[in-house]
Amino acid sequence: MSFKLANQVVEKLQNHGFKAYIVGGVVRDRLLRRPTGDIDIATSAKPEEVQRIFPKTIPVGIEHGTVIVRHGKQSFEVTTFRSEGRYIDHRRPSEVEFHESIEADLSRRDFTINSLALDRNGGIIDPFGGKEDLEQGILKAVGTPSERFQEDPLRMMRGIRFVSILGFGFEETTYSALVENAFLLKKISVERIRDEFEKMLGGPYCEKALTLLKKTNVDCHLPRGPFEFQVQTEKFHWSELTTVEERWTGFLARNQIEDPVEWLSVWKLPNQRKAKVDRIVKLVRSDIDFTCAYTLYTYGLSDLKATIRVKRFLGLLVEIEESELVARFSQLPIKSRAELAINGNELQKFFRQKPGPWITEYLEKIERCVIEGKVENTPSGVKELIEKWQQPYERN
Ligand code: ATP
Ligand code: MG
């Protein structure tokens, strides 16, 4: 994401007489010298005015004041300064009110470290002491913490996610409010909680965040909580896990969960993700030989790499380095059945038999011989092999 392009959007808004700033998480990340995600812009211009000023816009949330501005092939979320009305049932504000000042807009944001704005000249607007909290590693809610968590309980999960990503700790009153209001997480949709939880699992300080989840009893109010794991900050290095599926597997193994698919269904994980976790869990539990060519071929590089990482994360012995696994995989004569020198049709012609399950059985046998280097993967090599075998109906 380009600050240069974002500043051009800010400048254009200013040239039309509006106030405009880069705001929120991106300012926090810039001050921490962390990689930047999406760049959000806040402005005094109303959505219709933003649409008038920029040739390419997408009205994603006009009623909340948000328009996406396409500029230099990038997208910027441009949102009118706003405050939020009463929250209905801890979900969404009943109405939003547009404002002229950035301060009003910053006051609706969740934590002081997220309530910072950056002006065109690099000046920081910081009405709540967010910069100092950033320096001290403190998570402090803007305003009265209890009220802010009651308005939107997801903020508590966001806070725990920031503990995991940044290693920060909660300020005292914010911490007490978290303990008091954790039960309100039941009001939040599983999908929104899951998204925050997955981000939490991806943080280098995840063990610290998990410790906090238990200490505050927040885990009791999450799907399938409370969790059973023992926290061991020294032992588990979450940053060694590279994908969200590996992290879920690590988490499930720590909780000794028997049936991952059922458990993760409650967390509403997409089917593909659940299936991948299930495969890795099974591989982690099994005692497979990573040096066996047929194992490499059957399970594939991606699942096996994941298995190695999760096993290491759990402190289990793995006899092979990832680089050796990759090297062995690249030496496999074929990577999939489609690469076999013979296919089902040819097999059928060769034996002059009706199609049936025997074809798959034969292909599997040939495949195994090729992988184990017993036969060369060429049409003549394979034919020679099957000639040695009997006709399918005579096989024992
Ligand atoms: P990320 O690194 O995941 O993008 P972020 O803090 O930027 O973290 P976003 O969801 O992109 O999170 O939100 C952008 C900004 O909007 C936040 O920094 C914060 O100022 C504000 N914000 C987001 N969610 C909430 C919320 N639930 N309540 C109050 N303010 C929020
Ligand atoms: Mg963001």
Side-chain angles (χ1 to χ4, degrees):
M1 269 290 167
S2 156
F3 265 82
K4 195 170 156 205
L5 289 173
N7 274 328
Q8 288 169 0
V9 175
V10 166
E11 224 164 65
K12 196 159 178 184
L13 286 160
Q14 287 177 340
N15 291 343
H16 281 78
F18 298 107
K19 293 173 197 152
Y21 303 89
I22 290 174
V23 279
V26 62
V27 184
R28 171 198 74 216
D29 290 339
R30 192 169 170 88
L31 290 172
L32 291 172
R33 296 179 202 284
R34 285 171 43 83
T36 300
D38 293 344
I39 301 183
D40 297 330
I41 293 167
T43 179
S44 58
K46 302 279 174 343
E48 312 76 60
E49 290 162 332
V50 175
Q51 284 175 304
R52 254 202 311 276
I53 293 170
F54 294 95
K56 282 191 225 152
T57 57
I58 309 165
V60 282
I62 297 262
E63 65 286 8
H64 297 111
T66 304
V67 173
I68 285 186
V69 169
R70 293 279 304 158
H71 176 64
K73 299 210 170 117
Q74 293 196 8
S75 294
F76 299 94
E77 237 181 56
V78 178
T79 306
T80 309
F81 297 152
R82 62 173 212 219
S83 62
E84 288 158 358
R86 274 188 323 107
Y87 276 68
I88 301 170
D89 195 24
H90 314 283
R91 278 164 218 265
R92 299 258 185 245
S94 51
E95 67 223 18
V96 301
E97 195 185 323
F98 294 144
H99 283 268
E100 282 299 311
S101 88
I102 180 72
E103 283 78 10
D105 183 84
L106 293 175
S107 71
R108 74 169 168 93
R109 294 171 186 269
D110 50 4
F111 297 100
T112 60
I113 61 164
N114 292 338
S115 303
L116 295 161
L118 189 66
D119 72 20
R120 178 66 195 87
N121 307 313
I124 301 279
I125 322 289
D126 178 17
F128 305 104
K131 210 165 160 230
E132 199 184 325
D133 289 342
L134 261 189
E135 279 156 18
Q136 304 204 353
I138 292 173
L139 281 164
K140 184 177 174 194
V142 172
T144 309
S146 255
E147 279 172 20
R148 304 310 311 285
F149 290 160
Q150 282 158 23
E151 279 173 2
D152 179 4
L154 189 74
R155 289 172 186 154
M156 294 184 274
M157 282 309 287
R158 279 178 54 87
I160 289 169
R161 185 246 287 195
F162 290 123
V163 170
S164 178
I165 305 278
L166 305 173
F168 285 17
F170 280 95
E171 169 270 339
E172 219 178 291
T173 325
T174 308
Y175 181 89
S176 308
L178 178 67
V179 175
E180 269 165 43
N181 294 290
F183 72 98
L184 290 172
L185 281 166
K186 290 261 191 263
K187 304 260 181 193
I188 301 292
S189 79
V190 173
E191 289 86 344
R192 292 178 79 206
I193 292 191
R194 177 203 61 204
D195 290 349
E196 287 301 329
F197 195 82
E198 287 188 342
K199 286 183 188 170
M200 179 203 77
L201 291 177
Y205 305 94
C206 185
E207 205 64 21
K208 183 173 177 180
L210 290 174
T211 311
L212 199 81
L213 269 187
K214 278 219 136 316
K215 219 170 124 197
T216 52
N217 285 336
V218 165
D219 67 327
C220 300
H221 308 289
L222 298 181
R224 289 310 213 108
F227 305 140
E228 296 302 326
F229 59 84
Q230 302 293 317
V231 202
Q232 278 174 287
T233 319
E234 295 306 310
K235 193 170 159 196
F236 297 103
H237 301 283
W238 286 87
S239 40
E240 279 174 19
L241 303 176
T242 59
T243 64
V244 67
E245 288 88 0
E246 291 168 21
R247 290 174 204 124
W248 274 115
T249 309
F251 182 78
L252 294 173
R254 293 276 299 282
N255 278 287
Q256 277 147 28
I257 284 148
E258 282 300 314
D259 184 351
V261 172
E262 184 270 337
W263 205 89
L264 294 174
S265 294
V266 180
W267 277 80
K268 302 207 174 159
L269 253 68
N271 286 338
Q272 230 183 341
R273 185 163 291 176
K274 269 190 305 203
K276 173 112 184 168
V277 174
D278 192 41
R279 290 199 306 274
I280 313 175
V281 168
K282 286 191 176 119
L283 282 168
V284 169
R285 283 179 187 161
S286 71
D287 198 14
I288 49 160
D289 175 5
F290 290 95
T291 60
C292 163
Y294 198 65
T295 300
L296 277 172
Y297 177 80
T298 309
Y299 297 108
L301 203 51
S302 160
D303 283 5
L304 291 176
K305 272 186 181 177
T307 307
I308 291 182
R309 290 192 202 113
V310 176
K311 278 194 153 195
R312 292 234 159 93
F313 165 79
L314 294 169
L316 301 170
L317 192 72
V318 187
E319 69 279 10
I320 193 169
E321 289 300 325
E322 216 177 285
S323 54
E324 193 191 333
L325 188 85
V326 175
R328 280 175 182 271
F329 188 81
S330 69
Q331 282 159 12
L332 288 178
I334 58 167
K335 310 282 189 293
S336 74
R337 189 169 291 175
E339 292 176 38
L340 217 51
I342 195 165
N343 63 28
N345 270 339
E346 288 158 345
L347 212 55
Q348 198 192 328
K349 276 189 206 142
F350 183 85
F351 283 114
R352 295 204 198 96
Q353 291 293 320
K354 279 189 198 147
W358 68 270
I359 293 185
T360 312
E361 278 174 36
Y362 253 82
L363 286 175
E364 273 170 15
K365 268 174 82 174
I366 299 165
E367 195 176 33
R368 198 163 186 133
C369 288
V370 169
I371 303 291
E372 289 173 351
K374 290 180 183 152
V375 64
E376 215 178 310
N377 184 37
T378 57
S380 59
V382 174
K383 278 200 181 116
E384 215 172 283
L385 175 80
I386 49 182
E387 268 162 5
K388 277 195 231 151
W389 295 341
Q390 293 167 334
Q391 296 276 316
Y393 54 85
E394 288 171 0
R395 277 189 350 258
N396 48 27

